[in-house]
Amino acid sequence: FFDIKRIVFLLVFIALSFCGSAQWFVAGDISVGLYNKESGDNLLGLKKQSFGINPAFGYIFGKVGVAYSMGYGIENQTEDILKGDIIAKKETRIQCLKFSPFVRYVICKFHDLSFYTDMVFRLSFESSKNISDGAFEFEKNVYGIELRPALSYWLTNRLVIFSKFNFITLGYYHTVGKSDIRTVENQFGFGLNNSTIVSTGLVYVFR
């Protein structure tokens, strides 16, 4: 028969040893995006301004880390649409709230520079509102998984700067739209659902 007390003691000892040797960290990044497009059939011009903030916390043990991120983003769109001989202006505001637990793996390290990738499990809620009349145009929920490469550099023994390469993030997304008609969409590819090409942030490590 197994000695239950010894097994419990061993499991607690292993857990405490793991937590004691792990590096706990808090992190965050801010992203700003600008987009401007002119020409089209009835669309004479499209401008987008986006802003996002993504705090995170977790720990890393050797080359493997586990963390949780919660982000908020907002995007303002201005469209110049040709309706007959009249140019109409439409302003739309899109807001997004997302929750993203992720697993990190450090692929390689050279002195203070590290290249790693995050496997992100994404859940986000998005809504679009017409600023002119205040009416909601659509709401959607996005469920996805991403492989997101990034670089980090140790500035000090506690402070790290990192850059996430959103444009080569490989992801699969299942989107459920809520408007007059319920829609379901599946997407797979690089750089999807990212309004900025690269986002940069800071990490503080508790040693």
Side-chain angles (χ1 to χ4, degrees):
F1 295 95
F2 295 103
D3 190 331
I4 302 299
K5 291 183 179 180
R6 290 184 180 180
I7 294 175
V8 172
F9 178 79
L10 180 61
L11 292 175
V12 171
F13 178 78
I14 293 173
L16 290 176
S17 300
F18 178 80
C19 293
S21 58
Q23 292 181 327
W24 292 86
F25 68 87
V26 292
D29 67 88
I30 295 176
S31 58
V32 178
L34 297 173
Y35 176 82
N36 189 10
K37 178 182 179 181
E38 298 182 359
S39 77
D41 295 331
N42 294 323
L43 181 62
L44 300 180
L46 173 62
K47 295 181 180 180
K48 297 181 181 180
Q49 302 89 33
S50 62
F51 172 82
I53 183 170
N54 300 280
F57 65 92
Y59 63 85
I60 188 164
F61 184 77
K63 288 190 173 184
V64 180
V66 179
Y68 180 81
S69 172
M70 183 176 70
Y72 172 76
I74 184 170
E75 180 177 282
N76 291 323
Q77 297 183 0
T78 302
E79 299 173 88
D80 293 326
I81 304 173
L82 181 62
K83 295 183 178 180
D85 297 329
I86 301 175
I87 299 177
K89 185 180 293 291
K90 179 184 177 182
E91 296 182 342
T92 306
R93 176 168 296 163
I94 300 174
Q95 299 184 79
C96 178
L97 181 65
K98 59 183 178 180
F99 305 90
S100 306
F102 61 90
V103 178
R104 174 167 298 173
Y105 179 74
V106 179
I107 298 173
C108 60
K109 186 176 181 180
F110 182 74
H111 295 296
D112 293 329
L113 184 67
S114 297
F115 176 68
Y116 63 88
T117 185
D118 291 336
M119 177 179 286
V120 184
F121 302 91
R122 176 173 172 173
L123 170 61
S124 63
F125 306 94
E126 187 174 309
S127 64
S128 174
K129 184 177 182 180
N130 190 321
I131 299 177
S132 303
D133 55 18
F136 280 96
E137 295 187 334
F138 69 84
E139 294 181 353
K140 65 181 181 181
N141 299 339
V142 181
Y143 313 88
I145 182 170
E146 302 173 341
L147 286 176
R148 184 178 60 205
L151 280 175
S152 66
Y153 182 80
W154 287 86
L155 298 174
T156 68
N157 63 342
R158 291 182 181 270
L159 194 62
V160 183
I161 187 171
F162 67 90
S163 292
K164 299 184 294 187
F165 303 122
N166 300 321
F167 67 101
I168 53 174
T169 294
L170 179 63
Y172 169 78
Y173 307 95
H174 175 75
T175 304
V176 179
K178 302 177 182 179
S179 56
D180 296 334
I181 301 175
R182 184 178 183 271
T183 60
V184 177
E185 182 181 9
N186 294 298
Q187 293 178 296
F188 177 78
F190 288 96
L192 302 174
N193 288 308
N194 286 296
S195 56
T196 54
I197 296 176
V198 176
S199 54
T200 301
L202 293 173
V203 179
Y204 183 84
V205 179
F206 299 90
R207 290 184 177 273

